[in-house]
Amino acid sequence: MPELPEVETIKRQLKTRIIGLKLSKITILNQKSFQGDATLLEGTVVVEVWRRAKMLGVDVVVSRQSSDLSLQISKQNSSQILTILFHLKMSGQVIFVGKQGAKKGGFSLGHPTTDMFDEMPNKSTRVIFEFSNGSKVYFNDQRKFGWVKVIKRAEIEGLKTFQELGPEPLEGSFSWKILKECLLKHKNIVIKVALLDQKTIAGVGNIYASEALFIAKIDPRRIVSTLSDNDFQKLHAGIIESLQKSIEEGGSSRTHYVNVEGKRGSYLDFAFVYNRKDGICRICRSRIKKITLGGRGTFYCELCQK
DNA sequence: CACTTGACCTGTCCGC
DNA sequence: TGCGGACAGGTCAAGT
């Protein structure tokens, strides 16, 4: 899927479009894609959209006349909040379609998406969320690895997948020393594989692991225990740089990823190594190599990365 | 226990 | 053009 920058892009866009909207109907087209009781969501109002690692959360509360009051309730009584949790895995998409765009507080937000309207649903649509103003959110997932689940907000922290997650790399508190500490938890594996473990750092996937290691000039085959403090510092900077750059570019679109408007991200136009086998290294002009590490394609420059 | 491989799915692309 | 195999943003469980 979508790694951190792609989910972050979806989160930011969805937030401006669906907060304050009331859910009217949920249609499940593939049972395996949906866990929990969808009927609990009908009539609820969206109060928040958030991201943790590669997961997307949409918080909803039972509607009480106005959405303003709902917002108040959410702050006072978190036990009332339900979360619609998404994991897009390899091929998930979240598409928003609203003919006039969502409205909140009297002004219109977002861009018109009438072009997507006729294309949705498509053959990979697995779940459809309909709002009372006619807007819709489509969860598409060609490979059916992704999922949507309904869970009480208060129960999320108890989920094993949440408890074990490593730190968020774009939070201010994420330092190179924390990165070092997390990576040394499994010091005998290859650095590229360690970066993919969500217990090490949350949100880094196959694209940004290769990119961050290139920026840090570290060979992806290195064993974690061989890294110096200077390496950890460069890697820390490389992770942040690649993730931030990708968010600026709206994420990476190799095959499936699109944002909520159905548009592709452009990070791969700037990528140093990912998906650039035999391409020219932007720094030393030698050929980019592709190898397999931990069963995943890994791209790097033999000259630049030591 | 630490680490690796296969499974989950559908679709596309590449070589013969 | 057709067919088989490898491969694709992720994560689990089972295997070594």
Side-chain angles (χ1 to χ4, degrees), chain A residues 18-77:
Chain A
I18 68 168
I19 286 187
L21 297 190
K22 182 190 282 193
L23 277 164
S24 54
K25 186 181 176 190
I26 289 87
T27 306
I28 299 167
L29 300 172
N30 181 55
Q31 278 302 326
K32 282 195 64 184
S33 301
F34 194 98
Q35 299 157 39
D37 185 355
T39 62
L40 292 176
L41 299 174
E42 290 173 6
T44 63
V45 171
V46 177
V47 293
E48 185 59 289
V49 181
W50 51 270
R51 178 191 63 74
R52 173 78 170 106
K54 301 170 190 170
M55 282 173 278
L56 177 74
V58 174
D59 290 349
V60 300
V61 295
V62 174
S63 169
R64 299 271 198 288
Q65 299 270 321
S66 82
S67 58
D68 284 346
L69 184 52
S70 297
L71 287 163
Q72 237 180 338
I73 291 166
S74 72
K75 281 175 185 158
Q76 289 167 356
N77 191 351

Side-chain angles (χ1 to χ4, degrees), chain A residues 243-259:
Chain A
L243 295 175
Q244 280 181 343
K245 170 68 175 169
S246 182
I247 290 172
E248 285 169 24
E249 295 299 330
S252 296
S253 294
R254 187 182 170 280
T255 54
H256 299 100
Y257 172 72
V258 290
N259 66 23

Side-chain angles (χ1 to χ4, degrees), chain A residues 181-235:
Chain A
E181 191 182 311
C182 292
L183 282 170
L184 286 176
K185 279 189 287 193
H186 27 218
K187 51 181 190 282
N188 290 319
I189 62 172
V190 156
I191 181 62
K192 160 74 169 14
V193 174
L195 284 174
L196 293 180
D197 186 344
Q198 300 300 292
K199 289 175 281 229
T200 307
I201 312 162
V204 174
N206 208 36
I207 296 176
Y208 306 104
S210 281
E211 292 291 294
L213 285 164
F214 176 87
I215 293 169
K217 299 189 183 298
I218 296 169
D219 189 313
R221 299 166 296 181
R222 291 266 299 278
I223 301 296
V224 173
S225 61
T226 70
L227 299 194
S228 66
D229 278 0
N230 185 241
D231 289 328
F232 287 117
Q233 286 167 28
K234 288 187 297 183
L235 185 53

Side-chain angles (χ1 to χ4, degrees), chain A residues 134-197:
Chain A
S135 298
K136 294 177 186 175
V137 166
Y138 296 86
F139 174 66
N140 299 339
D141 184 20
Q142 181 191 92
R143 297 178 70 178
K144 300 180 180 170
F145 292 166
W147 44 257
V148 181
K149 67 174 82 174
V150 180
I151 183 172
K152 284 181 183 165
R153 180 74 169 100
E155 289 173 8
I156 285 183
E157 297 303 321
L159 289 178
K160 199 178 163 202
T161 49
F162 262 79
Q163 285 180 338
E164 294 181 347
L165 285 174
E168 283 289 330
L170 296 185
E171 299 228 326
S173 53
F174 179 66
S175 64
W176 75 266
K177 286 188 178 177
I178 287 177
L179 172 67
K180 176 182 176 182
E181 191 182 311
C182 292
L183 282 170
L184 286 176
K185 279 189 287 193
H186 27 218
K187 51 181 190 282
N188 290 319
I189 62 172
V190 156
I191 181 62
K192 160 74 169 14
V193 174
L195 284 174
L196 293 180
D197 186 344

Side-chain angles (χ1 to χ4, degrees), chain A residues 76 129 203 281:
Chain A
Q76 289 167 356
F129 299 86
C281 173

Side-chain angles (χ1 to χ4, degrees), chain A residues 89-100:
Chain A
K89 293 287 179 84
M90 299 285 261
S91 60
Q93 301 175 329
V94 175
I95 307 287
F96 174 86
V97 175
K99 274 199 165 171
Q100 308 82 21

